[in-house]
Amino acid sequence: MSVKLAINKELFTPHDERMLAGVQVKRRTKKKIPFLATGGQGDYMTFICLSVTNKKPSHVSLTKVKQFQGSSAFVKRSQWNIDQLRQVNGIDSNKDCPEFDLMFDNGLDQWVASSAGEKCTFIQILHHTCQRYCSERKPEFINCQSKLLGGNSILHSAADSVTSAVQKASQALNERGERLGRAEERTADMMNSAEQFAVTAQKLAMKHKC
């Protein structure tokens, strides 16, 4: 089982939520730790997870999840409602890069994803989710490649693929219908010809009989 599937199963599914996207991250700038803070739990992995409730009305959240070294369990550390997200900074709109920032009402987090591709997929799904679920003030997406915000995005490509498949299936059905129609017409013509032949043959038989 992948890490993201495990996080979803352990932290979100029990609360009737589903994880839409997740990205493994590290901080670009270390937070200052108070001098009195002792007893740290050692190394850990951090994930930013995007989730939505299954019940209506839907509630979308961004959750910081950690997995400490030597443990198979995942722990929720911080959680924000999607409406608290004010800005997503992709850092560089000209190329893929792993860095990105998330600005909330109460602060700014600067992250480096485990890969540029994972970061791009996360921002892409995050943007789509904000467009769908943020009813009032949508967060600002800056310094993001256009492919992440529309156009040739994975989500749009998937939708285009589905649409194309439906169109091809419809076209195939139409062509099949046309072929069946032509076959029915040919069958009708053959039946008419057979009937006419039978009538003609009957007339000839009667004539010779007379």
Side-chain angles (χ1 to χ4, degrees), residues 111-127:
W111 300 109
V112 179
S114 59
S115 70
E118 191 173 2
K119 166 236 175 168
C120 289
T121 301
F122 178 77
I123 288 183
Q124 194 170 54
I125 297 174
L126 177 59
H127 178 264

Side-chain angles (χ1 to χ4, degrees), residues 135-192:
S135 56
E136 297 180 1
R137 183 173 54 175
K138 292 180 174 58
E140 180 186 20
F141 283 75
I142 64 172
N143 299 321
C144 296
Q145 294 172 279
S146 59
K147 68 179 182 179
L148 306 182
L149 310 182
N152 296 323
S153 70
I154 293 172
L155 296 169
H156 282 74
S157 296
D160 290 343
S161 297
V162 172
T163 301
S164 177
V166 171
Q167 289 174 343
K168 288 180 180 178
S170 178
Q171 183 179 354
L173 287 173
N174 289 335
E175 290 175 353
R176 183 182 179 188
E178 290 175 1
R179 289 196 297 271
L180 289 173
R182 288 196 294 268
E184 290 175 355
E185 289 175 359
R186 287 196 297 271
T187 302
D189 290 340
M190 292 172 66
M191 288 178 66
N192 290 332

